[in-house]
Amino acid sequence: MSSPPPDLSELYQQVILDHNRNPRNFKRIESAKCKAEGNNPLCGDRIQLYVQLDDDTISDVGFQMPQGSGCAISKASASLMTEAVKGKRIGDAEEMFEAFRTMLAGGANAPGKLAAFSGVRAFPSRIKCANLAWHALHAALQGSAAPVTTESARDF
Ligand code: ZN
């Protein structure tokens, strides 16, 4: 008896679990010129994002979440986001954000591993968890000093 191949949703779940357990780029970047803070009071997720730019390229990116303040979805999403945008141009990163948002709003899957979050669509209350890091990235790139919060952003 051979076991059936894991279905896609299981594979996706593994990606999220892996990034939650071992978040990539989980670091503070003291010298970062672009920083942003994100808050999702509905779930209790809080993120501090650091973006280092080299001209219009994201040369380094890191994030921190105060102990116990990030759920699995928000942490895994932040980890995958940093992995996806590192080394990319600002415009490409913003396009990825758009693709990610479109996916969660019911559109086509975002490219690459970001598609792992397509399952979040079925849980509307968790969409803000998945989007949080991306909104923080957007705010950091815009040079916005005000913390982003899921309560004030109408199109979150
Ligand atoms: Zn959350």
Side-chain angles (χ1 to χ4, degrees), residues 40 43 45 71 74 126 129:
N40 178 19
C43 178
D45 309 317
C71 68
S74 66
R126 311 310 298 277
C129 301

Side-chain angles (χ1 to χ4, degrees), residues 19 24-25 29 47 49-54 56-63 76-100 111-114 133-138 140-141:
H19 278 262
R24 320 298 199 269
N25 303 301
I29 303 173
I47 183 173
L49 190 75
Y50 305 88
V51 183
Q52 193 74 276
L53 292 177
D54 183 6
D56 66 343
T57 298
I58 298 170
S59 55
D60 202 7
V61 53
F63 75 101
S77 181
S79 172
L80 272 152
M81 181 277 285
T82 59
E83 220 181 29
V85 303
K86 203 167 170 175
K88 299 288 191 306
R89 285 166 180 272
I90 292 174
D92 294 337
E94 295 280 14
E95 259 175 45
M96 273 188 239
F97 174 35
E98 208 46 56
F100 193 78
K113 285 188 190 169
L114 297 178
W134 288 92
H135 278 280
L137 174 73
H138 180 69
L141 293 175

Side-chain angles (χ1 to χ4, degrees), residues 14-155:
Q14 278 170 23
V15 171
I16 292 174
L17 287 174
D18 171 42
H19 278 262
N20 175 49
R21 259 196 305 260
N22 304 301
R24 320 298 199 269
N25 303 301
F26 194 70
K27 61 181 180 185
R28 184 184 301 271
I29 303 173
E30 293 298 345
S31 58
K33 290 228 170 64
C34 305
K35 296 177 197 169
E37 210 182 292
N39 266 304
N40 178 19
L42 289 178
C43 178
D45 309 317
R46 280 163 60 205
I47 183 173
Q48 186 76 46
L49 190 75
Y50 305 88
V51 183
Q52 193 74 276
L53 292 177
D54 183 6
D55 282 333
D56 66 343
T57 298
I58 298 170
S59 55
D60 202 7
V61 53
F63 75 101
Q64 294 273 278
M65 284 179 158
Q67 191 72 34
S69 69
C71 68
I73 299 282
S74 66
K75 191 186 261 184
S77 181
S79 172
L80 272 152
M81 181 277 285
T82 59
E83 220 181 29
V85 303
K86 203 167 170 175
K88 299 288 191 306
R89 285 166 180 272
I90 292 174
D92 294 337
E94 295 280 14
E95 259 175 45
M96 273 188 239
F97 174 35
E98 208 46 56
F100 193 78
R101 258 164 103 176
T102 302
M103 173 178 76
L104 291 184
N109 277 4
K113 285 188 190 169
L114 297 178
F117 288 91
S118 57
V120 175
R121 277 191 296 235
F123 306 94
S125 64
R126 311 310 298 277
I127 290 176
K128 290 178 178 181
C129 301
N131 269 343
L132 183 63
W134 288 92
H135 278 280
L137 174 73
H138 180 69
L141 293 175
Q142 301 284 310
S144 151
V148 288
T149 163
T150 55
E151 294 305 272
S152 66
R154 249 206 265 132
D155 59 342

